[in-house]
Amino acid sequence: MDEGGYHEPVLLEEVLELLAPRGAGIFLDGTVGGGGHARALLERCPDCRLLALDRDPDALERAARELAPFGERVLLRPGRFHDAVELFGLLGPVLSGALLDLGVSSAQLDRDTRGFAFRRGVPLDMRMEGASGRGPSGADFLNEADEVELAQIFREYGEEPRWRRLAREVVKRRGTRPFVDSDDLVGALAGALGRAPSNQEKARAFQALRIVVNRELEFLEAALPRIREALAPGGRLAVISYHSLEDRIVKNAFREWSRSCVCPPELPICVCRGVPLGTTLTTKPIRPGADEVRRNPRARSALLRGWRRAA
Ligand SMILES: C[S@@+](CC[C@H](N)C(=O)[O-])C[C@H]1O[C@@H](n2cnc3c(N)ncnc32)[C@H](O)[C@@H]1O
């Protein structure tokens, strides 16, 4: 993809339909990336304003260029979406809508110098904030985590059937030479499988490491209720997930918020809030159609869900 086509926004029309931007609404884009969804929202709604953030400084720079024509209608901040309320000083329920388009962008994958994908010889950094990011890099994690922890991430986040072997192989290899770059991880995978791994197997192992390095699931869980509380009555939240673990977190949160009673079943009477906090707008996740997947193969795993706060 060239500079102009930094990242084709996934499920764009469907996101706009769920968020229904209109009037002088204030929207949050918690994963602004290259600004594709953001730009479309601002074009669709000429009086809306946008608070946008991203944890990747490169993405933010691109978003700043992309969204410059909208001037003061856009406020951009570096940071993570679970901190959005503090970063923008949101006082109370002010948002008309919010979008989280999870995972990594095409730019992060295409111009990859941080080891997000299995390109040869790239340092295994994987921190979305870049090397200045807090916390261990992908290589640090492989060099330091114990075998049980490694096995758990390859099983849960990578869905690797040979998770136990892969964890053992990583521990064995790092005993003679520390993990440094993408080839080292591919080598360990080949060692565990006893053959050259397929692209899909490589992608799953890299994904597992990326998820743990960036604490992606933990931040998503923390962010959802905070963003919900920042929604104005009738405000909408749309989330695009790219794998089942993310989608399960979103699905369960929306389901729970849409129930009137969340008391444990053994209680004889309801003592909780007793009313739903809002309504799930998507009983099933919205997926891209065949045309979109043909145009943008990275959209193929996208799952979009929406929720509306009670009016
Ligand atoms: C799929 S891209 C978003 C693309 C964007 N919707 C567009 O149209 O260009 C995901 C972006 O989310 C960012 N990101 C991932 N997790 C984040 C988090 N916890 N907080 C803030 N940004 C995050 C990534 O750095 C990446 O730029």
Side-chain angles (χ1 to χ4, degrees):
M1 227 178 260
D2 65 15
E3 287 277 315
Y6 171 73
H7 176 95
E8 180 173 341
V10 171
L11 289 166
L12 179 59
E13 270 314 310
E14 293 83 350
V15 164
L16 291 176
E17 203 170 302
L18 279 180
L19 292 179
R22 62 177 179 276
I26 303 175
F27 286 80
L28 169 72
D29 186 340
T31 51
V32 70
H37 288 103
R39 187 182 56 186
L41 184 142
L42 290 160
E43 280 168 356
R44 186 70 56 96
C45 177
D47 292 322
C48 287
R49 283 178 296 151
L50 185 76
L51 311 173
L53 58 85
D54 202 289
R55 65 193 292 186
D56 177 347
D58 290 349
L60 215 57
E61 219 179 280
R62 284 164 200 285
R65 284 204 297 272
E66 182 76 8
L67 303 177
F70 301 100
E72 291 182 354
R73 291 173 59 206
V74 183
L75 198 54
L76 277 169
R77 292 258 189 282
R80 297 152 169 182
F81 48 59
H82 67 283
D83 290 327
V85 169
E86 293 79 15
L87 285 168
F88 291 109
L90 299 180
L91 300 172
V94 294
L95 297 176
S96 300
L99 170 66
L100 299 179
D101 178 15
L102 302 170
V104 282
S105 66
S106 300
Q108 284 167 325
L109 293 169
D110 291 343
R111 270 187 289 277
D112 188 10
T113 51
R114 284 179 267 173
F116 290 121
F118 48 90
R119 190 153 303 138
R120 300 205 60 175
V122 177
L124 267 183
D125 187 291
M126 291 203 174
R127 287 170 290 192
M128 289 193 197
E129 281 85 356
S132 62
R134 288 165 280 180
S137 67
D140 294 338
F141 183 83
L142 292 175
N143 289 324
E144 288 159 19
D146 65 34
E147 194 174 320
V148 174
E149 200 178 353
L150 287 166
Q152 188 195 343
I153 73 127
F154 291 132
R155 182 168 59 111
E156 282 181 27
Y157 301 167
E159 295 163 52
E160 170 50 58
R162 306 219 166 175
W163 46 276
R164 221 190 294 264
R165 269 195 196 201
L166 180 53
R168 207 175 308 138
E169 188 70 22
V170 168
V171 171
K172 187 179 100 191
R173 286 180 177 232
R174 76 189 185 193
T176 47
R177 202 173 74 88
F179 280 75
V180 176
D181 66 25
S182 48
D183 297 347
D184 297 331
L185 179 53
V186 174
L189 192 54
L193 300 175
R195 57 171 168 76
S198 68
N199 282 348
Q200 209 188 8
E201 286 163 334
K202 288 189 236 173
R204 289 203 309 254
F206 277 73
Q207 170 183 280
L209 194 56
R210 196 199 78 213
I211 291 174
V212 73
V213 163
N214 292 293
R215 300 165 65 189
E216 292 179 25
L217 303 178
E218 183 187 332
F219 290 163
L220 175 62
E221 271 190 312
L224 291 175
R226 294 185 193 175
I227 294 176
R228 180 197 71 211
E229 287 307 296
L231 290 176
R236 290 150 175 254
L237 171 58
V239 185
I240 307 178
S241 309
Y242 293 87
H243 58 81
S244 56
L245 296 167
E246 286 171 342
D247 183 57
R248 192 179 317 147
I249 292 172
V250 178
K251 179 177 75 178
N252 290 342
F254 287 4
R255 186 185 288 159
E256 152 109 10
W257 304 347
S258 305
R259 283 165 52 194
S260 54
C261 176
V262 289
C263 290
E266 60 274 15
L267 282 192
I269 54 161
C270 173
V271 292
C272 69
R273 61 180 186 239
V275 287
L277 300 174
T279 313
T280 299
L281 300 173
T282 45
T283 37
K284 286 200 171 137
I286 300 173
R287 296 164 187 272
D291 276 357
E292 175 163 3
V293 174
R294 208 170 306 119
R295 248 187 3 257
N296 179 14
R298 284 188 186 138
R300 67 183 172 276
S301 50
L303 300 164
L304 168 65
R305 292 184 187 269
W307 185 83
R308 185 180 57 222
R309 192 169 187 176

